[in-house]
Amino acid sequence: MKSYKARGIVLGTVKYGDSSMVAQLLTDVGGRRSYMVQGIRSSHGRGSKAALFQPLFALEFEGLESSRTDLDRFKEVHAGIVLRSIPFDVRKSTVALFIAEVLYRLIRESEPNRMLFDFVWGSVGALDTIDEGVANFHLWFLANLSRFLGFSPGNRYMRDAYFDMREGLFTLSPQQGHAVMSIDKAEILRDLLECDVQCLGEIGLNRHQRVEFLDTMLEYYSYHLDSIHSVRSTKILREVF
């Protein structure tokens, strides 16, 4: 087997047999890849492997590329970012679950996309370290993820503008029949795109505004990526935030 060193973000896992699982990772060297993880329930080192493969956990590893199957394996694997709050903060773990599921549903390419990967990797570290604005993080992530998926707003924000979701443009005169974000939501989108992640607490949104803006962003995504409809963790987000 050919070996390679890489970093990866856990998107999801599926149990395989009695003591193994298949993990889906977004990697820096090969886009989305599948890995067989064996011995996660063995008596030797019980639980140590399983603990690494939680949604959105960041890993550094040496992989083994199989010539016979689409499943790679790990020669060595350890935490790439030592998470100090995400596993223990229900708000952050809920956001992590949502982001991991969004990426799991949307990212299918097995080709490296270093800019996308670096954005996700940096987002994991940011979510783990921020103290303020956690309730806005998933909205910030969706707004900025669109830059790397090819449908971020195509022009600059204008005061009192709407946002045409079909055309992907801020506009003062929305076209009849087009789905648009209201003036208030277009301004929130602008704020999230321009806001440094460490300043998310300065965007003052109440619970109702967050729920409505999330629904609108999912509608915007649906114009470009049908699989956004299958994201199920949005229900948990609405309950927590």
Side-chain angles (χ1 to χ4, degrees):
M1 287 185 174
K2 178 182 176 182
S3 67
Y4 58 93
K5 292 186 177 180
R7 294 181 295 156
I9 305 291
V10 179
L11 306 184
T13 60
V14 177
K15 182 181 176 182
Y16 186 89
D18 293 332
S19 62
S20 301
M21 66 183 176
V22 175
Q24 299 289 332
L25 269 63
L26 175 66
T27 72
D28 59 344
V29 297
R32 177 171 171 166
R33 302 188 79 145
S34 303
Y35 293 85
M36 175 65 72
V37 187
Q38 295 177 303
I40 59 170
R41 295 175 181 84
S42 64
S43 57
H44 178 67
R46 180 177 297 169
S48 59
K49 283 187 179 180
L52 285 172
F53 293 92
Q54 303 302 309
L56 214 67
F57 275 34
L59 307 177
E60 291 182 350
F61 61 91
E62 184 174 355
L64 295 171
E65 188 174 300
S66 174
S67 59
R68 294 178 298 175
T69 72
D70 293 332
L71 291 174
D72 289 1
R73 298 176 184 270
F74 294 107
K75 184 176 181 180
E76 294 182 6
V77 59
H78 59 270
I81 299 175
V82 179
L83 299 176
R84 304 187 185 280
S85 65
I86 291 177
F88 314 107
D89 184 324
V90 67
R91 301 172 306 153
K92 291 186 178 185
S93 59
T94 299
V95 171
L97 178 65
F98 170 74
I99 291 175
E101 187 183 0
V102 165
L103 296 172
Y104 180 89
R105 301 291 181 188
L106 301 187
I107 307 300
R108 298 293 180 183
E109 294 80 7
S110 57
E111 297 296 325
N113 183 334
R114 192 55 179 265
M115 292 180 66
L116 169 63
F117 179 84
D118 287 346
F119 167 69
V120 177
W121 184 274
S123 296
V124 175
L127 177 60
D128 193 59
T129 58
I130 63 171
D131 296 317
E132 304 293 333
V134 175
N136 294 330
F137 193 93
H138 59 294
L139 304 178
W140 173 87
F141 184 86
L142 283 179
N144 286 276
L145 178 64
S146 68
R147 301 178 190 271
F148 304 95
L149 299 181
F151 53 89
S152 61
N155 63 342
R156 293 179 64 87
Y157 174 81
M158 300 161 283
R159 184 177 179 181
D160 294 331
Y162 300 85
F163 182 68
D164 188 316
M165 292 191 286
R166 180 181 297 181
E167 300 296 329
L169 298 171
F170 292 107
T171 177
L172 297 175
S173 304
Q175 296 186 45
Q176 186 174 2
H178 282 206
V180 298
M181 289 188 190
S182 66
I183 293 173
D184 291 343
K185 290 190 179 70
E187 186 175 0
I188 293 171
L189 177 60
R190 185 278 311 269
D191 290 345
L192 291 167
L193 288 169
E194 295 185 357
C195 180
D196 184 275
V197 68
Q198 299 297 329
C199 301
L200 276 176
E202 298 176 9
I203 299 180
L205 302 177
N206 59 39
R207 185 188 186 98
H208 178 71
Q209 288 173 310
R210 288 190 193 98
V211 170
E212 282 208 334
F213 187 77
L214 174 60
D215 289 343
T216 303
M217 280 302 292
L218 294 175
E219 183 182 355
Y220 176 43
Y221 265 64
S222 71
Y223 277 99
H224 306 275
L225 300 164
D226 290 339
S227 52
I228 195 70
H229 291 300
S230 59
V231 175
R232 294 174 292 182
S233 54
T234 53
K235 184 180 297 184
I236 305 173
L237 272 179
R238 294 185 181 103
E239 293 175 358
V240 174
F241 300 114

